[in-house]
Amino acid sequence: QFTKVLNMQPGLVLPLIHRSEAYLNNKQYDEALADIETVIKANPELTVAHGLKAQTLASMERFPEAIEELKKLTDDETAQPEFQLQLALYHLFAKQPREAIAAYTELREEDDDNFPALRGRADAYLNIGEHANAAADFKKALEVEPKESGRLNNYAWVLATSPDDKVRDGKRS
């Protein structure tokens, strides 16, 4: 349907964005990327287009390019927190936990109770073996969202299995 609209009125941005999203959802990544590149060429400041491009690149497992695309959005002082969360997640997928920690930390500077940032940073800390930092973030995340079972599990795991005697607490686990 989007193609029909575009055939009648070429160059309309919204149908092109929606068609790109449809292609992305159908795992037609090359087509999605082609449409979104067309949108960006005509509207280089359109934030949603850059976010969609990053998402498409990540779906293609082209994480360095997805990260670069998101950095264009997160370097702006008015950046949306969702883009910073997405950037941190792509760093984790790209096996760059320290960069993910930096991105999550930046989000926490804006909102100390940002649950997704706490949860993500805790997992990133686990990736590099910093169990004390992970436990501290899991504990804070539980204060913010006490019924979130995934974090309860991860917090209990680090408390039960940490090689760090100062972190390991079987009873609390």
Side-chain angles (χ1 to χ4, degrees), residues 36-104:
I36 209 62
E37 290 287 358
T38 300
V39 170
I40 290 172
K41 185 176 180 180
N43 303 279
E45 302 300 317
L46 193 59
T47 302
V48 69
H50 290 282
L52 188 55
K53 181 178 179 183
Q55 186 178 1
T56 303
L57 290 166
S59 296
M60 299 169 84
E61 297 187 14
R62 291 166 54 180
F63 296 112
E65 293 168 83
I67 288 167
E68 285 307 311
E69 196 64 33
L70 279 175
K71 282 183 179 179
K72 294 175 188 174
L73 300 175
T74 58
D75 287 345
D76 183 356
E77 288 181 20
T78 61
Q80 298 173 12
E82 298 82 31
F83 291 129
Q84 190 74 15
L85 280 171
Q86 200 173 353
L87 177 63
L89 186 61
Y90 292 170
H91 278 301
L92 283 177
F93 290 157
K95 299 185 182 350
Q96 301 170 339
R98 292 182 194 289
E99 290 84 350
I101 290 166
Y104 287 128

Side-chain angles (χ1 to χ4, degrees), residues 15 18 38 41 57 104 107 115 148-149 164 173:
H18 288 309
T38 300
K41 185 176 180 180
L57 290 166
Y104 287 128
L107 276 165
F115 178 74
E148 210 282 320
S149 62
D164 184 342
S173 171

Side-chain angles (χ1 to χ4, degrees), residues 3 7 17 33 49 60 67 71 76 81 89 100 102 104 107 115 121 144 146-148 150 153 160 165 167-169:
T3 301
N7 285 338
I17 289 172
L33 198 54
M60 299 169 84
I67 288 167
K71 282 183 179 179
D76 183 356
L89 186 61
Y104 287 128
L107 276 165
F115 178 74
R121 192 172 76 170
V144 174
K147 296 185 187 222
E148 210 282 320
N153 180 68
D165 292 340
V167 175
R168 195 175 50 255
D169 184 343

